[in-house]
Amino acid sequence: MDAIVLGETMMSLRSTGPWRLGGSATTSVAGAESTVAIGLVRLGHAARWVGRVGADEPGELVVRTLRAEGVDTSAVVRDPTAPTGLILFERRTPDVTRVLYHRAGSAGSRLSAADAVAGLAGGTRLLHVTGITPALGAGPLAAVRAAVDAVRAAGGLVSLDVNHRSLLWSADEASRVLRPLALRASVVIGSPDEIALVGGDDLTGEVVTKLGRDGARVRTRDGTWSAPAHRVDAVDPVGAGDAFTAGYLSGLLDRLPPAERLARGTTTAAFAVQAVGDWEGLPTQAELPLLGLPPGTTLR
């Protein structure tokens, strides 16, 4: 594998209005790590998702969707005693999306160290984890630690997207757990607040800071680089950060210099926000140049 990602993927429902009023909704899947996996596959890399789903129809939707996108699902565990998690997206106003989780006791929250080690079979150049998985419980935290230990011992790269979720745990608790992981990561990715949460200046690997409308920057041992964001009409901002991460890690796997890694990340993020859904708008390698074409261009 070029990359293995570890975490929970849920069935997602997106409403066209307030949930309390009823109405229609669309069904898909969502998960920070699986969004990165899909993004990497579309950009030409071999990626595997390691996780648990329930032995239920939402679980089958998760596996079927990832498999259809070319993600390796050979390490997926189907749990007969726990359901697949559910995430609800509510467009409360044109500019505000509210996210509701139903993941307590889910199959994903039962991910174990044994699951993680088994999922690494065959090896990988890169392991990608987020700060979401350790917040799901002792088992998922052990899974992340075991995977990081195994990949580091084998000489692989480890990337950590801090992805702090305040609904799952406090900043103090997240800092206590994630800082040791960040210190062992080859690449740490996050917003300015998230980077500070895990140690900031103490980090010795690559530190990639997502700056939203101001683009992104990376600090390596050789210097600091930055890239502006693309000015596009955003349809759905959810998933932009994970899309950026997929683009940046793709550039890392392709051995691009830091500035070009950042540029690929901001490009994939710009594609993502122009479509509804976490991962649906992610580009392929061949589509990356399309963002630079003049408005109204028709390709024939």
Side-chain angles (χ1 to χ4, degrees):
M1 289 288 117
D2 291 320
I4 291 177
V5 304
L6 181 75
E8 181 174 30
T9 303
M10 298 162 284
M11 185 173 87
S12 69
L13 294 175
R14 292 176 180 271
S15 72
T16 55
W19 285 109
R20 68 182 65 181
L21 299 181
S24 61
T26 56
T27 306
S28 186
V29 304
E33 300 85 2
S34 53
T35 294
V36 171
I38 292 172
L40 288 172
V41 169
R42 288 192 180 181
L43 291 169
H45 308 284
R48 175 185 297 153
W49 176 66
V50 178
R52 279 182 173 249
V53 297
D56 50 27
E57 290 304 296
E60 290 305 311
L61 173 66
V62 168
V63 176
R64 182 178 183 274
T65 301
L66 294 178
R67 187 181 295 137
E69 287 295 322
V71 176
D72 185 307
T73 58
S74 61
V76 172
V77 177
R78 289 175 171 82
D79 191 326
T81 61
T84 301
L86 177 66
I87 183 171
L88 307 177
F89 295 94
E90 177 184 65
R91 180 63 70 86
R92 196 60 190 86
T93 73
D95 296 319
V96 176
T97 298
R98 188 156 54 188
V99 181
L100 307 172
Y101 295 99
H102 290 270
R103 69 197 311 178
S106 69
S109 70
R110 296 185 177 188
L111 188 69
S112 69
D115 297 332
V117 172
L120 295 172
T124 184
R125 295 173 59 197
L126 170 72
L127 169 70
H128 177 66
V129 296
T130 75
I132 300 170
T133 307
L136 300 180
L141 172 56
V144 170
R145 286 172 171 166
V148 170
D149 288 346
V151 171
R152 280 177 53 91
L157 299 173
V158 173
S159 66
L160 168 68
D161 192 333
V162 179
N163 254 325
H164 178 232
R165 297 290 189 263
S166 58
L167 292 177
L168 294 176
W169 55 359
S170 69
D172 287 343
E173 187 178 7
S175 178
R176 178 180 61 80
V177 173
L178 298 180
R179 184 173 291 215
L181 288 171
L183 290 171
R184 304 186 69 209
S186 314
V187 182
V188 178
I189 305 170
S191 67
D193 288 344
E194 289 172 335
I195 295 299
L197 188 75
V198 295
D201 293 338
D202 294 334
L203 302 176
T204 57
E206 290 188 12
V207 179
V208 184
T209 306
K210 295 182 282 191
L211 301 170
R213 294 180 179 179
D214 294 325
R217 67 171 177 263
V218 58
R219 186 192 79 218
T220 75
R221 294 176 181 176
D222 298 320
T224 301
W225 292 263
S226 61
H230 294 271
R231 301 304 176 190
V232 296
D233 294 326
V235 173
D236 183 1
V238 177
D242 299 319
F244 169 85
T245 296
Y248 185 87
L249 295 179
S250 169
L252 182 67
L253 290 168
D254 282 342
R255 296 183 172 87
L256 298 181
E260 293 181 32
R261 300 200 290 266
L262 288 174
R264 183 173 291 183
T266 58
T267 298
T268 53
F271 270 97
V273 301
Q274 294 181 85
V276 175
D278 287 30
W279 53 269
E280 284 83 348
L282 291 168
T284 64
Q285 272 272 19
E287 290 172 330
L288 289 175
L290 297 182
L291 208 60
L293 296 178
T297 296
T298 300
L299 300 177
R300 302 183 185 277

